[in-house]
Amino acid sequence: MSWESNGVNVEVDWKPERTLVLLGRTGNGKSATGNSILGETKFLSKTRGRFITKECKLHTSMIPNGQRINVIDTPGLFSASSTPDFTIREIVRCLRLAKDGIDAVILVFSVRNRLTEEEQLTLRTLKILFGSQIVDYMIVVFTNGDAFDDGDTLDDYLEDCPEFQEILKECDDRKVLFDNRRNILKSKKDKQVQDLLNFVEQISKKNNGKPFMADLSLELRENEATLEEKQKQIQKMKGQSKQEISQVKKEMERTYNEMLEGIKEKIANQLKESLNDVKEQLAKAQLAREETEKKMTELQNLSSDEIKRLRDQLKNAERETARLRGQQRRERCSVL
Ligand SMILES: Nc1nc2c(ncn2[C@@H]2O[C@H](COP(=O)(O)OP(=O)(O)OP(=O)(O)O)[C@@H](O)[C@H]2O)c(=O)[nH]1
């Protein structure tokens, strides 16, 4: 953006408002990452049970370049301990908070925690729930960057953790390491946030400036717009009795609740589908593990049989050598 001021052309690197959603397992550092992005402590971020994030929340900050950043923090949505009702409620809440769409979905992992099988399948779940296009908007954040020994890099860490390969490949290798401690150098704080925001801009360019909008979001948005319109009409209603107005309000609420139930049902069905898919994948992984273990045992048995065979061969050879030596000795004696 540029404008004239006192005859001077002023250029400002203006960037539009962005909405980011943080997803990940409880304790991976979503709230802390949200605070790092916003540059201030807005989300509660503590290890203790009662501070665990229980519902989706949105906070906004104006970052130094004047850009408005909205961050939506979510509770651990796809863990085995979350009930479907809880997950559905929170997905609806999140979609309502991100009413103009999502500019980036940030998958948060911690370098201190091992990637669980469930986490490995998060992408599949998200694709089933929101469509495969969601991967075009994903960035992976690894928290607890301070856990690395001096000189170790994120690439060194990832070389030892091949289980992240698939996720990173799908996200076009968009990854950033975060150190969310408050007392770190400002230059380090700024750089990690800037690296993340650069990816957000890259994503926007790649998607022609269009934020991610799940079909469910569109449905929700359309219905909320109708609701707002109806509310305005009710406010303008004149000449009708209180009873009539209350009747119209009730009717409107009923229609809206029906719509919400419809959306929840759709999410429930997709969630069921993704749960079945996750179960199937986990069962396949278990089967593959069992087969590998069986093969390893077979190999071990095979090699111990092989060792026994070689030992027997060796013993036979030793016996044969002793027999030949004896024979030679006897022959020498008979010659003498
Ligand atoms: N040393 C260090 N600690 C971190 C970092 N990021 C997060 N933590 C700590 O990890 C703990 C969990 O972080 P949260 O931000 O609450 O994690 P969360 O994913 O939001 O967890 P829920 O709220 O339960 O969903 C907190 O004690 C944070 O202070 C980091 O980069 N370095």
Side-chain angles (χ1 to χ4, degrees):
M1 186 168 73
S2 70
W3 72 88
E4 284 264 315
S5 171
N6 295 333
V8 180
N9 194 29
V10 182
E11 287 272 353
V12 170
D13 188 14
W14 180 83
K15 296 207 177 80
E17 181 173 345
R18 299 289 183 209
T19 299
L20 320 177
V21 174
L22 299 160
L23 288 180
R25 182 154 57 112
T26 285
N28 274 0
K30 296 180 295 295
S31 310
T33 304
N35 291 335
S36 295
I37 298 170
L38 295 171
E40 43 194 324
T41 307
K42 295 214 169 176
F43 297 108
L44 266 180
S45 164
K46 298 214 168 128
T47 342
R48 293 197 294 279
R50 72 189 171 96
F51 293 108
I52 285 176
T53 308
K54 292 184 186 77
E55 60 175 41
C56 295
K57 284 216 168 87
L58 179 144
H59 281 295
T60 301
S61 256
M62 200 82 95
I63 58 168
N65 72 358
Q67 188 178 20
R68 227 176 124 88
I69 304 286
N70 305 313
V71 176
I72 300 175
D73 189 14
T74 63
L77 285 181
F78 307 113
S79 75
S81 58
S82 308
T83 65
D85 277 354
F86 167 82
T87 306
I88 294 164
R89 190 190 68 208
E90 289 312 311
I91 288 174
V92 171
R93 199 193 302 276
C94 179
L95 295 178
R96 285 169 99 172
L97 287 172
K99 57 184 186 320
D100 294 323
I102 296 166
D103 295 288
V105 176
I106 321 270
L107 288 184
V108 182
F109 298 105
S110 163
V111 299
R112 286 188 211 267
N113 299 337
R114 291 198 57 179
L115 186 76
T116 62
E117 275 179 338
E118 262 176 34
E119 280 184 294
Q120 238 166 329
L121 295 171
T122 306
L123 267 189
R124 290 179 78 97
T125 308
L126 290 174
K127 281 196 222 167
I128 292 173
L129 277 174
F130 304 113
S132 51
Q133 206 208 349
I134 195 164
V135 295
D136 299 337
Y137 291 83
M138 277 186 181
I139 303 170
V140 179
V141 160
F142 291 92
T143 65
N144 287 273
D146 48 299
F148 286 159
D149 292 334
D150 276 349
D152 260 5
T153 65
L154 182 57
D155 287 332
D156 295 331
Y157 168 78
L158 292 173
E159 240 172 66
D160 297 333
C161 303
E163 60 271 26
F164 283 109
Q165 263 173 18
E166 203 186 321
I167 296 175
L168 288 168
K169 199 172 153 214
E170 290 242 40
C171 302
D172 229 353
D173 210 30
R174 289 183 291 266
K175 57 178 190 292
V176 190
L177 182 67
F178 264 65
D179 177 350
N180 288 316
R181 289 172 306 160
R182 281 185 216 160
N183 55 351
I184 60 164
L185 281 176
K186 187 179 175 303
S187 55
K188 190 175 174 187
K189 268 187 196 173
D190 291 348
K191 175 154 188 332
Q192 58 195 23
V193 175
Q194 198 49 56
D195 286 349
L196 180 91
L197 294 178
N198 288 345
F199 278 133
V200 176
E201 294 313 309
Q202 201 188 84
I203 286 174
S204 174
K205 250 190 215 152
K206 263 192 158 175
N207 294 293
N208 302 317
K210 277 195 206 132
F212 178 73
M213 185 66 87
D215 290 348
L216 292 167
S217 301
L218 285 171
E219 210 172 308
L220 210 77
R221 204 159 79 150
E222 271 169 26
N223 282 285
E224 294 208 330
T226 318
L227 181 79
E228 264 174 44
E229 193 50 44
K230 281 256 167 68
Q231 275 169 337
K232 274 183 204 155
Q233 281 172 11
I234 291 172
Q235 275 165 7
K236 281 186 206 155
M237 275 169 89
K238 279 178 192 144
Q240 272 99 337
S241 67
K242 269 189 181 169
Q243 214 178 1
E244 278 171 323
I245 294 177
S246 145
Q247 189 62 33
V248 176
K249 265 189 189 167
K250 269 191 194 149
E251 184 59 27
M252 179 191 74
E253 275 163 18
R254 193 183 58 77
T255 319
Y256 182 73
N257 286 337
E258 271 175 16
M259 172 284 296
L260 213 56
E261 284 312 309
I263 288 184
K264 283 183 180 171
E265 205 179 308
K266 274 187 198 162
I267 300 178
N269 288 336
Q270 285 162 342
L271 207 60
K272 217 188 263 172
E273 192 190 323
S274 78
L275 275 177
N276 287 340
D277 181 80
V278 166
K279 270 188 201 154
E280 206 177 292
Q281 294 305 316
L282 288 176
K284 269 189 197 163
Q286 175 69 15
L287 203 73
R289 247 198 323 271
E290 280 169 10
E291 260 171 29
T292 313
E293 274 166 21
K294 206 170 124 196
K295 277 200 181 121
M296 289 295 284
T297 322
E298 273 170 17
L299 261 172
Q300 273 167 359
N301 288 343
L302 201 82
S303 56
S304 54
D305 285 352
E306 185 79 346
I307 290 168
K308 192 171 168 295
R309 197 176 59 78
L310 286 171
R311 274 206 190 116
D312 288 349
Q313 263 181 7
L314 198 69
K315 264 187 200 154
N316 285 344
E318 277 169 1
R319 256 186 245 129
E320 185 59 11
T321 316
R323 192 185 64 77
L324 286 171
R325 278 205 189 114
Q327 196 179 347
Q328 274 174 353
R329 244 193 332 266
R330 277 193 301 278
E331 279 169 7
R332 264 201 305 271
C333 286
S334 64
V335 170
L336 287 170

